[in-house]
Amino acid sequence: MAKLLFFGMLIAVSSCLSIRDFSLNASNESNDIENVPNHTDYAAVARYVVHKSEWASMGTLSTLKTINGFPMVNIISVADSGKDEPSTGHIYFYLTNLDYTGQDLMKNNKLTAMFSNDQDLECSKNGVDPMEPTCARIMISGSAVELDKSSDEFQFANKSFLSRHPAAATWVETHNFYLCKLDISQIIVLDWYGGPHYVSTEDYYNANETLNGFLYDKFLSNPRQSLDQRGSVNNMHNENKIKIKIEKGNDKVTIEF
Ligand SMILES: *[C@@H]1O[C@H](CO)[C@@H](O)[C@H](O)[C@H]1NC(C)=O
Ligand SMILES: *[C@@H]1O[C@H](CO)[C@@H](O)[C@H](O)[C@H]1NC(C)=O
Ligand SMILES: *[C@@H]1O[C@H](CO)[C@@H](O)[C@H](O)[C@H]1NC(C)=O
Ligand SMILES: *[C@@H]1O[C@H](CO)[C@@H](O)[C@H](O)[C@H]1NC(C)=O
Ligand SMILES: *[C@@H]1O[C@H](CO)[C@@H](O)[C@H](O)[C@H]1NC(C)=O
């Protein structure tokens, strides 16, 4: 009996480990839709989808003569962390005023960015149409704030962005791009039936907690904290919650009750 329990827990632990590893690899996410945090953990779902996103649909109010005042959209590359690094939740992106999105924001600095859980085809590959409420989408409204080139955050954001978007190295310098962060006004999560949910920015950024096996971090709390220094994850598959400690150095797994 004790032996069975032990094996059951090993299975639970190893499934946590694989989910955890996938969650840290934005370029190599598992297609298992069960990886999405519990749909009632709205802040965690928002962080999950933002973290995996390499780009967002960004809407602005158009300043183009022909459609002045119309909503206008664009694809804007984003990064909330470096490749394979923990999520910060902060949305960093480069803009240029050669582009209509940059021009629109100069006139009216209000935007809404949409992130879909189908970014990596996680919905489609599981037979869920991207428009169905069960394919999570996050709508984040706010304004673009240019980062000060001399700040630590600029260095962090630039490095993170370029690690996810290596091609940007060629256009950032030559086309007067400037690095921005989204100053968030409102977060809407639509991840299940029953309409949209509003998540406070505080809850969103504090979803650095261990949630359903996903580890999150928050910029400035400890941006360089190595994953190896982090320990406990929750067990998302069992009713009984167990805490485990992982020692990555020599492949050891210590289980604590
Ligand atoms: C992350 O993705 C890269 C490239 O696809 C792959 O080589 C690496 O093994 C992945 N890491 C994990 C932890 O899955
Ligand atoms: C993701 O990474 C794993 C482990 O490195 C690899 O086996 C798998 O083929 C990768 N999947 C994709 C879609 O790149
Ligand atoms: C999701 O969370 C709700 C409330 O927090 C809980 O009742 C439910 O059991 C959870 N579902 C899963 C699959 O963990
Ligand atoms: C941004 O990061 C890239 C890659 O690390 C680097 O080459 C570039 O000089 C950085 N840009 C600035 C303005 O620091
Ligand atoms: C989450 O971040 C907040 C603010 O930086 C910090 O106070 C808290 O300890 C963090 N929680 C975890 C579990 O790391």
Side-chain angles (χ1 to χ4, degrees):
M1 184 63 192
K3 210 173 183 181
L4 269 180
L5 186 65
F6 180 71
F7 274 108
M9 280 187 349
L10 270 189
I11 289 163
V13 165
S14 57
S15 68
C16 279
L17 284 176
S18 65
I19 285 162
R20 176 170 174 267
D21 284 350
F22 274 121
S23 75
L24 301 171
N25 204 341
S27 66
N28 185 5
E29 298 279 351
S30 163
N31 294 319
D32 184 350
I33 207 151
E34 284 177 19
N35 280 353
V36 186
N38 187 341
H39 76 87
T40 57
D41 286 334
Y42 304 113
V45 172
R47 289 289 292 274
Y48 172 80
V49 176
V50 165
H51 183 51
K52 74 157 68 168
S53 296
E54 310 288 8
W55 56 269
S57 309
M58 194 176 280
T60 50
L61 288 180
S62 186
T63 51
L64 292 173
K65 259 195 208 142
T66 43
I67 52 164
N68 190 40
F70 281 51
M72 187 55 182
V73 285
N74 206 346
I75 286 180
I76 301 293
S77 293
V78 297
D80 96 321
S81 73
K83 187 168 155 49
D84 300 344
E85 288 184 6
S87 156
T88 67
H90 292 286
I91 298 158
Y92 298 114
F93 50 100
Y94 267 102
L95 290 176
T96 172
N97 290 353
L98 298 174
D99 179 77
Y100 58 76
T101 299
Q103 291 168 16
D104 292 349
L105 292 171
M106 286 292 141
K107 175 106 187 279
N108 186 349
N109 192 359
K110 291 184 175 134
L111 67 89
T112 296
M114 189 194 67
F115 305 82
S116 167
N117 195 32
D118 208 38
Q119 169 97 193
D120 57 356
L121 307 182
E122 185 168 356
C123 302
S124 309
K125 286 188 177 167
N126 284 282
V128 179
D129 190 280
M131 192 177 165
E132 285 177 40
T134 45
C135 183
R137 78 213 61 173
I138 321 299
M139 280 66 62
I140 305 189
S141 304
S143 49
V145 178
E146 184 176 354
L147 294 179
D148 178 352
K149 275 198 169 175
S150 64
S151 66
D152 289 347
E153 188 171 12
F154 178 96
Q155 293 304 325
F156 172 82
N158 176 59
K159 196 163 163 265
S160 301
F161 185 91
L162 282 156
S163 76
R164 288 198 188 206
H165 303 282
T170 59
W171 39 263
V172 159
E173 304 287 342
T174 50
H175 293 97
N176 296 319
F177 276 84
Y178 45 93
L179 183 54
C180 296
K181 169 178 167 170
L182 187 60
D183 182 12
I184 297 175
S185 308
Q186 178 178 270
I187 300 167
I188 295 182
V189 174
L190 203 158
D191 66 346
W192 199 252
Y193 305 101
H197 293 92
Y198 295 82
V199 169
S200 72
T201 49
E202 197 188 359
D203 288 349
Y204 171 81
Y205 285 123
N206 281 331
N208 60 339
E209 305 279 344
T210 302
L211 285 159
N212 292 329
F214 293 94
L215 296 175
Y216 295 115
D217 205 347
K218 185 180 175 184
F219 182 65
L220 300 179
S221 62
N222 195 350
R224 311 315 299 167
Q225 184 171 16
S226 151
L227 298 174
D228 301 0
Q229 294 169 288
R230 296 179 157 272
S232 60
V233 298
N234 285 336
N235 175 2
M236 72 187 284
H237 296 298
N238 275 14
E239 289 294 323
N240 304 323
K241 298 240 162 161
I242 55 166
K243 251 195 172 180
I244 60 165
K245 275 197 171 172
I246 305 155
E247 283 176 27
K248 270 203 158 171
N250 22 359
D251 273 339
K252 268 187 193 163
V253 174
T254 313
I255 303 168
E256 285 191 345
F257 296 89

